[in-house]
């Protein structure tokens, strides 16, 4: 594999393309402490205090390290209520990136979802996607509409190393349009990369095909662009014809195939808080701004401070730096390779922001109603203070007891914060997994003791079950 090159020499080391100026200590704990922490948290890792976590792979969202240029830009932040200078810096950056004229800042991705979906969706309507993220789905459903996932069937074959398993199935899209009628599908949303289905990328060819179908039926296509830059890099290295195209040009092409986007800037804008909606439809934009003022704030700040807008503008530049993207994706691939070597089944091929462990295969003795993905997350925390996130029956399953309906997958996501951990942190995670792999038959499942009905993984209370 070609790695990075300096003066005609190619090196294999994954070089972090930055040096570290400001550091944070890790949360060291003893095993006994971690047992007490888990008991007090009702075996829910969302309830664990971060200073009791050694390596936090719970999410890549809002956890990026900012650059010196971002911090410097923050000092220039203009806190004016209306017409903030920082808004125009931000607007120019989003326009240059996406080509969309209307730019509406929001405080994070789901704020944009909550503003947009009630305007386009309602009872009797269906929104389609390669796969909706959980808050995106919840906001579509809260607007009274149905959220229909149309991934390619290969997305479900976790050991299949096909390069673009984030794609939408164009045949299923045509069928859904025939069955429901184009008038009842007010929007299609393509999630790049597809976080709910293992962070797999969408190919440009697939986006183009979906875009054509949508255009033929006059269905607006929006991107959920939270991880657009990682998707663009995976297009560059995996899709024929893109190897020599700059990441920025690939991004421009990607956005040009849709009519607008929703963005959680907490991912690929390399900031801790922020988001935006961008689009060309001026009429819809006016209605969005009316709703924005109700809940987020005036259209030139949208729930953020001027300094946040500055940091986002700069982050959107930096994320397309090819040295950064190469390091980012290789770092994920490195963790994946180490886990594979340790005999841990993962979703192949690894994507751009996380490695997803197939907990169903890793812990075949734990049935879905005992949450194998979550059991593994707890075991990983107990073993070494590593925090991760289940994407399986705790997150997507329904009901309990007799009425329990499992999710179609039992995964554990190891999401890698951007520019935060080094290769030796990844080596440590691999070492811990190797130890767990040898004792996997002793990992016990958990039972659900209580939860709220929506997005239950955030509030769930669990308890270990005795070995049966
Ligand atoms: N869309 C996608 C694809 C996401 O992954 C997320 C968040 C959102 C929308 C919502 O954005 O958090 O800024 O409101 N994903 C986080 C995660 C929470 O851990 O994957 P938000």
């Amino acid at each position: 594999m070609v790695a990075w090159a300096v003066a005609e020499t190619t090196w294999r080391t994954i070089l972090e393309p930055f040096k570290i100026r400001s550091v944070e200590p890790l949360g060291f704990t003893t095993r006994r402490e971690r047992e007490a922490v888990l008991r007090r948290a009702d075996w829910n890792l969302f309830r664990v205090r971060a200073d009791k976590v050694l390596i936090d792979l719970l999410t890549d969202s809002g956890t990026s390290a900012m650059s010196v240029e971002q911090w410097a830009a923050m000092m220039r932040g203009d806190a004016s209520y209306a017409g903030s200078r920082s808004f125009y810096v931000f607007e120019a950056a989003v326009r240059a990136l996406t080509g969309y004229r209307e730019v509406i800042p929001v405080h994070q991705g789901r704020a944009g979802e909550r503003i947009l979906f009630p305007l386009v969706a309602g009872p009797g309507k269906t929104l389609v996607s390669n796969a909706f993220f959980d808050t995106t789905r919840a906001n579509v459903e809260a607007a009274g509409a149905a959220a229909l996932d149309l991934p390619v069937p290969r997305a479900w074959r976790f050991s299949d190393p096909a390069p673009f398993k984030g794609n939408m199935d164009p045949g299923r899209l045509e069928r859904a349009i025939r069955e429901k009628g184009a008038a009842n599908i007010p929007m299609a949303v393509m999630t790049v990369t597809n976080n709910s289905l293992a962070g797999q990328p969408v190919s440009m060819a697939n986006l183009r095909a979906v875009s054509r179908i949508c255009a033929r039926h006059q269905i607006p296509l929006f991107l959920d662009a939270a991880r657009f830059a990682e998707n663009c890099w995976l297009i560059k290295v995996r899709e024929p014809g893109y190897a020599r195209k700059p990441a920025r040009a690939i991004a421009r092409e990607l956005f040009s195939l849709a009519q607008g986007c929703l963005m959680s800037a907490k991912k690929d804008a390399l900031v801790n808080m922020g988001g935006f909606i961008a689009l060309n439809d001026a009429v819809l934009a006016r209605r969005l701004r009316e709703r924005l003022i109700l809940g987020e704030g005036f259209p030139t700040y949208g729930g953020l401070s001027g300094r946040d807008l500055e940091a986002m503008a700069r982050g959107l530049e930096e994320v397309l730096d090819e040295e950064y993207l190469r390091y980012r994706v290789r770092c994920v691939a490195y963790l994946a390779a180490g886990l594979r070597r340790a005999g841990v089944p993962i979703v192949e091929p690894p994507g751009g922001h996380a490695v997803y462990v197939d907990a169903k295969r890793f812990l075949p003795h734990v049935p879905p109603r005992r949450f194998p993905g979550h059991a593994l997350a707890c075991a990983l925390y107990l073993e070494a203070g590593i925090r991760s996130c289940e994407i399986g029956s705790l997150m997507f399953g329904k009901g309990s007891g007799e009425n329990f309906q499992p999710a179609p997958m039992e995964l554990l996501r190891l999401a890698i914060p951007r520019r935060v951990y080094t290769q030796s942190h990844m080596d440590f995670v691999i070492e811990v997994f190797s130890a767990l792999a040898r004792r996997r038959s002793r990992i016990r499942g958990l039972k659900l003791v209580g939860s709220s009905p929506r997005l239950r993984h955030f509030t769930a209370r669990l308890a270990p079950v005795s070995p049966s």
Side-chain angles (χ1 to χ4, degrees), residues 2-16:
V2 177
W4 51 284
V6 172
E8 309 301 317
T9 313
T10 301
W11 306 93
R12 286 160 50 89
T13 305
I14 303 175
L15 189 74
E16 285 88 13

Side-chain angles (χ1 to χ4, degrees), residues 398-410:
K398 295 206 164 55
S400 57
E402 297 279 281
N403 301 321
F404 173 74
Q405 290 168 38
M409 72 290 218
E410 304 295 343

Side-chain angles (χ1 to χ4, degrees), residues 423-443:
Q423 199 166 337
S424 64
H425 292 114
M426 295 303 117
D427 284 334
F428 178 72
V429 175
I430 294 164
E431 186 181 343
V432 172
F433 256 100
S434 308
L436 274 185
R438 287 192 290 274
R439 295 186 262 106
R440 64 172 97 173
S441 61
R442 298 221 294 273
I443 295 175

Side-chain angles (χ1 to χ4, degrees), residues 100 128-130 168 173 186-191 206-215 218-224 254-261 278-279:
Y100 304 138
V128 294
S129 178
N130 51 342
M168 192 189 288
L173 174 61
M187 183 170 278
V189 179
M190 191 70 112
T191 312
N206 181 255
L207 185 63
R208 193 171 296 113
V210 167
S211 173
R212 281 212 192 102
I213 296 170
C214 288
Q218 294 178 335
I219 298 171
L221 172 63
F222 269 51
L223 302 179
D224 178 342
L254 192 88
F255 286 108
S256 78
L257 292 170
Q259 282 72 56
C261 72
L279 69 166

Side-chain angles (χ1 to χ4, degrees), residues 58-61 108-111 113 133 135-136 191 193 195 224 226-227 264-267 274 353 413:
L58 183 71
T59 180
D60 62 317
S61 179
Q108 66 179 85
R110 68 198 71 179
E113 295 162 4
F133 178 66
T135 62
T136 320
T191 312
T193 57
N195 188 24
D224 178 342
R227 299 180 180 84
S264 166
K266 298 170 72 173
K267 286 82 170 172
H353 72 292
R413 187 182 73 170

